[in-house]
Amino acid sequence: MTKTEIAKIIDHTNLNACATEVDIATLCAEAKKYGFASVCVNPSYVNYAYNLLSDSGVKVCTVIGFPLGADTIDNKAASAAVAVDEGADEIDMVVNLGYVKSKNWDDLYEEIYAVVCAAGEVVTENRPKPIVKVILETCYLSDDEIVKCCQVAQEAGADFVKTSTGFAILKDSDGKLLANGATVHAVELMKKTVGSNMRVKASGGIRTFDDAVKMVQAGAERIGTSNGVGIVE
């Protein structure tokens, strides 16, 4: 793949808690310059980013239930609807990991379905139906849990499954921080599970062009990264 091809599938991301309007303006300008697929920002900046990008082909993506996934189903759905109303084209929602670990697949389905429906029911003139991506936080999950989450997300009508938030905290027995982002193994497993019915987004720890290419070769069709400029340059 070329760097131009990679740029077209990058969600250029700034989810820093201390991000300012200046930071988001820079993010949007970079996205337009390099032709990234979208900018991914926190919900409070959706409308700001939407106005900055209205004259471009760059989409606005935001996050719901981020980064823990532990919000209520109603709050996730309501937040998704507000975000779409304010200009979000894409919604990246974090699953409730408690549901996954408890094998509470019915509630997992209900929360994904609720977000898909809430996002899709907002009237958006001259804008396509919003895309919903489901963040699994794969570093916390077994292979069987990853497969089941993908199956539930597909049944609930989501468009993508996504590996990670990049904010997970995973430690070994000595307290050393472990990798918390996308892996080739997880992406391959997710793509094998969903096939052509859904797409896969790899996110978390992707910092170089080679990293991005490996994820695409494993089956990813979108890359989430805060280092988009570094990757394409």
Side-chain angles (χ1 to χ4, degrees), residues 133-182:
K133 309 187 199 94
V134 178
I135 306 174
L136 308 187
E137 205 69 285
T138 53
C139 69
Y140 290 141
L141 306 182
S142 67
D143 283 3
D144 286 345
E145 288 168 338
I146 290 171
V147 168
K148 185 62 177 180
C149 284
C150 289
Q151 292 170 338
V152 173
Q154 181 177 327
E155 291 167 4
D159 302 285
F160 277 80
V161 281
K162 174 179 170 182
T163 58
S164 319
T165 64
F167 285 72
I169 298 175
L170 192 64
K171 298 180 180 180
D172 65 14
S173 58
D174 295 325
K176 181 182 177 181
L177 287 173
L178 300 174
N180 65 352

Side-chain angles (χ1 to χ4, degrees), residues 76-91:
K76 285 182 178 178
S79 296
V82 170
V84 173
D85 186 58
E86 292 186 347
D89 302 290
E90 304 188 356
I91 299 292

Side-chain angles (χ1 to χ4, degrees), residues 1-232:
M1 294 189 73
T2 67
K3 290 185 177 181
T4 299
E5 289 171 329
I6 286 289
K8 292 178 181 179
I9 63 169
I10 285 178
D11 289 347
H12 193 36
T13 303
N14 188 337
L15 297 171
N16 192 309
C18 297
T20 65
E21 285 193 351
V22 172
D23 296 325
I24 301 305
T26 298
L27 189 81
C28 291
E30 291 169 345
K32 288 195 285 187
K33 176 180 178 180
Y34 293 100
F36 295 138
S38 80
V39 296
C40 187
V41 299
N42 282 309
S44 60
Y45 285 125
V46 165
N47 194 246
Y48 182 65
Y50 172 75
N51 289 326
L52 290 174
L53 294 169
S54 60
D55 62 345
S56 75
V58 180
K59 304 298 184 182
V60 177
C61 174
T62 195
V63 289
I64 299 298
F66 193 89
L68 300 179
D71 209 343
T72 66
I73 294 174
D74 286 346
N75 281 350
K76 285 182 178 178
S79 296
V82 170
V84 173
D85 186 58
E86 292 186 347
D89 302 290
E90 304 188 356
I91 299 292
D92 287 18
M93 65 165 290
V94 188
V95 299
N96 188 316
L97 290 161
Y99 293 161
V100 179
K101 292 300 182 181
S102 301
K103 301 188 186 314
N104 187 350
W105 307 120
D106 288 342
D107 279 348
L108 183 67
Y109 172 90
E110 287 299 328
E111 73 163 3
I112 299 171
Y113 182 71
V115 169
V116 169
C117 291
E121 288 171 358
V122 178
V123 177
T124 53
E125 294 184 7
N126 302 316
R127 290 163 54 201
K129 182 180 177 181
I131 286 172
V132 175
K133 309 187 199 94
V134 178
I135 306 174
L136 308 187
E137 205 69 285
T138 53
C139 69
Y140 290 141
L141 306 182
S142 67
D143 283 3
D144 286 345
E145 288 168 338
I146 290 171
V147 168
K148 185 62 177 180
C149 284
C150 289
Q151 292 170 338
V152 173
Q154 181 177 327
E155 291 167 4
D159 302 285
F160 277 80
V161 281
K162 174 179 170 182
T163 58
S164 319
T165 64
F167 285 72
I169 298 175
L170 192 64
K171 298 180 180 180
D172 65 14
S173 58
D174 295 325
K176 181 182 177 181
L177 287 173
L178 300 174
N180 65 352
T183 65
V184 167
H185 172 74
V187 172
E188 288 178 339
L189 180 60
M190 293 160 72
K191 188 58 184 175
K192 180 181 178 181
T193 302
V194 302
S196 60
N197 297 308
M198 297 178 75
R199 290 176 281 175
V200 175
K201 175 176 174 179
S203 183
I206 302 170
R207 298 183 178 89
T208 69
F209 176 72
D210 287 343
D211 289 340
V213 170
K214 287 177 183 177
M215 294 302 164
V216 172
Q217 290 173 339
E221 296 177 69
R222 194 75 71 87
I223 300 293
T225 179
S226 59
N227 195 40
V229 173
I231 286 172
V232 300

